[in-house]
Amino acid sequence: MDHVYRDIAWKFTVVYLDDTIVYSRTFDEHLEHLKETFIRIRKAGLKLNLEKCNFWMQRLLFLGHIVTSIGIAPDPKKIEAVQNIQPPKTTTQLRSFLGLVGYYRQFIRNFSEVAKPLTLLLHKDQRYE
């Protein structure tokens, strides 16, 4: 699927395994995006299962993100879960926490700078307390 959508991924399509989402700002733009997506699916010799298709949705929850006509945002429930997580007590828990928040790094300004003190604790020569 990554090959099928290689130059349009994250421009107006998001793909995960065999699930594809097409998002647009306007109805007319959406028709064009759907047309382009359908052409690519046909050229790749793939088929859609109409029973699994949803069209003209205004808002969609997908892999911890909310997809709307104005863009993609993190799911507020996931953000709340991160805010309420217990501080990591072990290196393994810290690594897990950094992986979790790293999933949303595109929404965190200067993520690498903010996470740097925690990331440095993962080095073998650092003592984690």
Side-chain angles (χ1 to χ4, degrees):
M1 295 305 289
D2 288 335
H3 178 69
V4 172
Y5 301 124
R6 69 186 170 279
D7 59 330
I8 60 172
W10 296 99
K11 291 181 182 173
F12 59 85
T13 63
V14 178
V15 63
Y16 179 73
L17 300 176
D18 65 345
D19 290 334
T20 299
I21 293 179
V22 179
Y23 57 96
S24 312
R25 295 190 188 282
T26 67
F27 181 80
D28 290 336
E29 186 180 68
H30 197 61
L31 290 176
E32 288 299 316
H33 292 164
L34 284 173
K35 181 179 177 182
E36 177 65 27
T37 303
F38 292 157
I39 289 169
R40 288 165 184 261
I41 289 170
R42 181 183 294 145
K43 282 184 180 177
L46 302 171
K47 295 181 181 182
L48 298 174
N49 180 346
L50 193 55
E51 292 176 8
K52 294 176 76 177
C53 293
N54 294 297
F55 293 96
W56 318 124
M57 296 180 71
Q58 297 297 311
R59 175 182 158 101
L60 176 68
L61 181 61
F62 184 71
L63 299 175
H65 295 85
I66 304 287
V67 181
T68 68
S69 63
I70 59 172
I72 300 173
D75 178 356
K77 290 180 183 176
K78 301 295 184 191
I79 299 304
E80 183 179 338
V82 170
Q83 290 173 331
N84 294 327
I85 200 167
Q86 292 295 313
K89 295 184 173 146
T90 67
T91 303
T92 301
Q93 289 175 351
L94 176 59
R95 191 173 284 111
S96 179
F97 174 76
L98 286 170
L100 173 64
V101 295
Y103 184 71
Y104 293 103
R105 72 183 303 133
Q106 73 187 76
F107 303 104
I108 302 170
R109 186 185 345 235
N110 300 321
F111 174 81
S112 60
E113 188 177 312
V114 171
K116 186 175 182 176
L118 295 176
T119 304
L120 290 173
L121 291 173
L122 296 175
H123 293 172
K124 298 276 187 214
D125 59 340
Q126 293 292 318
R127 183 163 181 245
Y128 179 73
E129 294 181 20

